[in-house]
Amino acid sequence: MNNDHLQLFVRVASTQNISLAGSELGLSPPVASMHLNKLEESLGVKLIHRTTRKVSLTEEGREFLPHAEEVLSAVDRAKASVGAGSFTPRGTIRVTAPSSFGRMHIVPALKDFINEYPQLKVDLRQSDNIVDMVEGGFDIAIRNAALNDSSLVARKLASDTRIICASPDYIAKFGEPKTPQELQQHSCINLIGIDHWDFESKEGIQRIKPNSAIRIDNGESTRDACVDGAGITISSIWCCDKELREGKLVQILTDYQLINNSAIWAVYPSSRLIAPKVRAFIDFFVTRFGDNPYWESK
């Protein structure tokens, strides 16, 4: 396969216009069409549907696209390793992120990311389930859980400070607990998967199993139920910062720090040479969040 043919195919997939893709690479429409024909002949499959009105990928073309992008990225990496060429982020980067964090902090940044890297496209899948990156074909997974797979690499994007909070209405009606033990006399809203709340105190670690009348598997929904006065909850500051600043929630038990080892991580498959698009995505969000996340410094 010819790398120039692959580059043209990737640009056609992005622009859905053979003439435009060809002009970007300095090719006339007839030459661009000829190159695509040669690529299809070398593979023995049809990659592109062509009509007088539009161009679209065939099913085989859609399957072939990520492999073509990876070949081009590998060529870039090889050139850069000997000081030739540059790491040019391009193609489609496939990312999976937790639903709440993705909606609140990844999605609002995508416009700036694409503006900075116009040759990149983002395929973002939001799910609170831990997905298999290889099976799902993902380049990056955003996670706030410990990394257990030795075949993956994790880079910290931001801290994940968690607090105990309640609404002013709840406190006015039921009072404010002053110690972790007093939580057991209150209604709590718990995230599914967090069975105990561990606190640091002068007496050592205090482990509390909250009296959870409500259990929810989504951080935003847990926060919203707390705002409504349904009970006391544990929440990440990145999730409840706005509500705290607006006075819809207040932090309680401030003398007892929650023991929490979680952080926001970018996880990607282990490789000696990281793909340009993966490096671009991680570096962008490390800069955006940093060690002092913007949601903790407003």
Side-chain angles (χ1 to χ4, degrees), residues 3 6-7 10 65-81 86-93 119-120 139 273-278:
N3 286 340
L6 290 178
Q7 189 174 6
V10 169
L65 178 60
H67 300 289
E69 293 171 343
E70 184 55 36
V71 168
L72 294 173
S73 292
V75 171
D76 278 349
R77 297 196 298 271
K79 288 180 178 179
S81 70
S86 61
F87 285 87
T88 304
R90 60 185 170 191
T92 300
I93 184 164
Q119 294 191 60
L120 272 177
D139 299 297
L273 290 172
I274 183 173
K277 61 184 179 181
V278 173

Side-chain angles (χ1 to χ4, degrees), residues 9 24 29 35 50 76 84 92 124 151 155 163 171 173 176 186 189 213 229 284 293:
F9 168 70
E24 290 179 358
H35 285 183
R50 303 171 176 86
D76 278 349
T92 300
L124 175 64
S151 68
R155 182 170 176 186
I163 62 172
I171 293 173
K173 187 173 182 178
E176 178 181 348
H186 288 263
I189 310 159
F284 177 88

Side-chain angles (χ1 to χ4, degrees), residues 162-279:
R162 296 179 181 179
I163 62 172
I164 304 298
C165 50
S167 71
D169 288 344
Y170 179 91
I171 293 173
K173 187 173 182 178
F174 299 104
E176 178 181 348
K178 300 301 182 182
T179 66
Q181 290 82 358
E182 290 181 22
L183 284 171
Q184 295 176 326
Q185 279 75 57
H186 288 263
S187 295
C188 294
I189 310 159
N190 207 16
L191 276 168
I192 293 175
I194 301 180
D195 296 325
H196 299 89
W197 298 354
D198 293 336
F199 297 86
E200 290 182 354
S201 71
K202 296 178 181 178
E203 294 75 29
I205 297 175
Q206 298 187 35
R207 168 164 285 192
I208 303 299
K209 185 172 184 178
N211 178 21
S212 303
I214 301 173
R215 300 172 70 241
I216 308 177
D217 67 351
N218 178 273
E220 286 181 283
S221 297
T222 303
R223 176 204 65 203
D224 291 346
C226 188
V227 169
D228 287 339
I232 295 170
T233 197
I234 182 173
S235 181
S236 296
I237 289 181
W238 61 255
C239 184
C240 66
D241 174 69
K242 180 173 178 287
E243 287 70 22
L244 289 170
R245 288 184 285 109
E246 292 177 350
K248 295 178 180 179
L249 291 176
V250 294
Q251 182 179 357
I252 61 174
L253 294 174
T254 55
D255 292 335
Y256 299 86
Q257 184 177 353
L258 276 168
I259 297 175
N260 174 44
N261 296 321
S262 64
I264 305 298
W265 301 92
V267 179
Y268 54 94
S270 176
S271 174
R272 188 174 64 87
L273 290 172
I274 183 173
K277 61 184 179 181
V278 173
R279 183 184 300 279

